[in-house]
Amino acid sequence: MTMVTTLAENIGKGVVAGLAGTVAMTISSTMEQKLRRRPPSLAPAEAAEKVLGIGTFQSEAAEKRFSTLVHWGYGTGLGVLRGVLRTMGVPPRAATAAHYAAMYGGNQVTLPALDVAPPLLKWGAEEIAIDAWHHLVYVLATGLAYELLDGER
């Protein structure tokens, strides 16, 4: 098997695994939202709106649909990183740690830079823990799904 074929197959597995991770994160965050009676976070959609130059939406419903698309697209697409890491020979546990660092670290740089969320140091400890938890759920579920698709344990 060529390196290109291996990479393509692993990216495909990563996409499916990213979808599984997004499902897990959605369940986790939806449960937390209901328990705390808070609205869903629009930060990812607000960041995408700024990057894409989107000013306004025709309705609140349209903005919510866009937010949902961003959430699912971002989470599913970020699964590609898992496939790339494994193609590079990074072992499963290290790939999970690197995936988490890239995803969570990227959010902590990008969202404040786009003025969508305050820097992490301005959050309370509870909010940091909850956000870190949801992202951990994502990478663990993505990693598990990837390794199952890859036939390893």
Side-chain angles (χ1 to χ4, degrees):
M1 187 177 309
T2 70
M3 179 63 149
V4 172
T5 302
T6 300
L7 178 61
E9 286 181 2
N10 290 352
I11 286 173
K13 291 176 208 169
V15 167
V16 174
L19 178 61
T22 305
V23 168
M25 184 178 195
T26 301
I27 292 168
S28 173
S29 62
T30 300
M31 289 174 53
E32 177 261 324
Q33 287 168 28
K34 289 181 189 277
L35 287 171
R36 296 178 68 211
R37 293 183 172 92
R38 70 162 180 88
S41 171
L42 298 177
E46 290 171 5
E49 289 169 23
K50 286 189 175 193
V51 169
L52 297 172
I54 298 172
T56 59
F57 287 86
Q58 291 179 342
S59 66
E60 187 177 321
E63 188 166 18
K64 285 183 180 179
R65 282 191 304 273
F66 179 74
S67 179
T68 299
L69 286 171
V70 169
H71 169 73
W72 287 94
Y74 177 72
T76 301
L78 200 55
V80 168
L81 178 57
R82 180 65 181 219
V84 170
L85 289 166
R86 295 295 280 126
T87 301
M88 293 170 42
V90 178
R93 287 185 182 156
T96 298
H99 197 190
Y100 183 81
M103 179 184 196
Y104 197 64
N107 283 345
Q108 297 312 317
V109 171
T110 305
L111 296 179
L114 291 170
D115 201 27
V116 170
L120 188 67
L121 296 177
K122 293 190 178 185
W123 297 20
E126 183 178 1
E127 294 303 316
I128 292 170
I130 290 167
D131 192 52
W133 168 257
H134 293 317
H135 287 83
L136 182 62
V137 166
Y138 169 84
V139 296
L140 291 175
T142 300
L144 177 62
Y146 184 90
E147 297 309 320
L148 288 172
L149 289 167
D150 202 36
E152 296 181 19
R153 292 207 172 220

